[in-house]
Amino acid sequence: MDYSEYLSDPSPSTTATIKALAEQALWKYTSVFLAQPFEVAKTLLQVRAPVIERPRKFQAIQTRPLHEVRRAGYVYSSGSDSDSDSPSYFASQAPTGLTPPRRPRPRRRPGSPDRGDSSDPDAQCAPQAPRPSPHALNIKSPASLTAALSTLWQKEGVWGIFKGTNSTYVHSILLSTITSFARSFLAAVFAVPDPSLFLHINRSAGPVGGLDILSSPAPMASLAIAVSAAGIAGIILTPLDIARTKLMLTPSTHPPRSVMSTLSTLSSWTLPWSLAPVTFLHSTLPTFMSASLPLFLRSKLSVDPVLTPNAYALATFIGQGLELGVKLPIETVLRRGQMQVAQTGIQTREMQTVVEIGPYKGLIGTMRSILYEEGERTIKAAPARIAPANRTTSLARDPQRRKGQGFEGLWRGWRIGMWGLIGVWGAATLGGVGGKGGEF
């Protein structure tokens, strides 16, 4: 029997399927390639330990130890005493011939420490500035992605801003594949409809859609399956994510630069216990927020994509902005923890990085360190007021400097994230891609 009259779209051939897969892979790689410079710059700012810049007066004073200044003053005074015209009030009255000779100073053997310098307490207390790494980046503004990109371009060239592109592409492909497989497997085990079947139902409401679990007969079970699948995929791909972060933060001239070679330098291919809470939250929270948003809007606020499409689209955009705001602080802590794990795998030599990596103290400890301990921040002072004459000394204090990076240190890269979100929505609105859907 011929069913061509009943089937409007016949099944594609093998050639058409391969062509569609190749086009999709090329589109995905192009998207990752164009977004990689901003991802590298954002990661640099997230893991970078802030450097406290001191005033130039303090730098000039501390660059010269005190014992050198005292020795210079001693030489000057001894030279001035040798003037024959000035009277010697404290000279010895003994004859010249009976003056005992000076004891010769013992010669120091080559390689032995200088005891004269070690006896000086100023020489021991004098701070010596650490020698900066030749690959270290001097980023002027710690909150600017363009400053990080410009510094990286000047230091490493075009290869520096596209570091880790292949690993990011492989990670994105495997993440979507493992998530879909785990979601389908869990749905089959617990006899629940696959949440991915409802993925494209409400694409017309917005260009960036999620799982519409409200169309499922068991919404809460579908939500739990979707979140669990995202967590499983994130845990499995932890070694690849660590290797990707390491490739972005190490100099482009230092081997290894391939994905497999970088994975071989890791101490373990399993999820470290120190990263387990952060990794699980980073993998599951975005999926939980994007999947539960349609359920919340339609069941609690009566906002429907069919009846109120404009309100639904606006609420979805706001929800994605909140998702970005929740994800960035956890991502900042995760990147620091990943670099700590990557550094433990180096046994022979110290790993060179383009920026100094900030400490990792767990989820809450790292956030507290970024907020109140690392670096300094400037707070805008209140308008100046005319003070009485007896209180002029209190104006010499500087109340504008505060310890810690503040809340801005937890949200590095939020501007480029919001601009990317606005760009996706704007392109979909102007180009009419909203009904088709796509992933940026």
Side-chain angles (χ1 to χ4, degrees), residues 65 67 115-128:
H67 68 277
R115 297 182 179 179
D117 295 341
S118 60
S119 60
D120 194 349
D122 297 332
Q124 297 178 357
C125 300
Q128 295 183 2

Side-chain angles (χ1 to χ4, degrees), residues 281-329:
L281 289 177
H282 181 263
S283 303
T284 56
L285 272 183
T287 303
F288 174 78
M289 296 184 65
S290 61
S292 60
L293 181 62
L295 178 62
F296 176 76
L297 292 177
R298 296 175 66 177
S299 62
K300 301 298 182 181
L301 302 180
S302 300
V303 178
D304 189 85
V306 179
L307 301 178
T308 55
N310 295 330
Y312 186 85
L314 179 61
T316 305
F317 178 79
I318 296 175
Q320 291 173 356
L322 293 177
E323 177 185 340
L324 179 66
V326 172
K327 180 182 177 180
L328 282 179

Side-chain angles (χ1 to χ4, degrees), residues 12-26:
S13 60
T14 305
T15 306
T17 304
I18 296 176
K19 181 180 179 181
L21 291 177
E23 291 178 353
Q24 186 177 3
L26 181 61

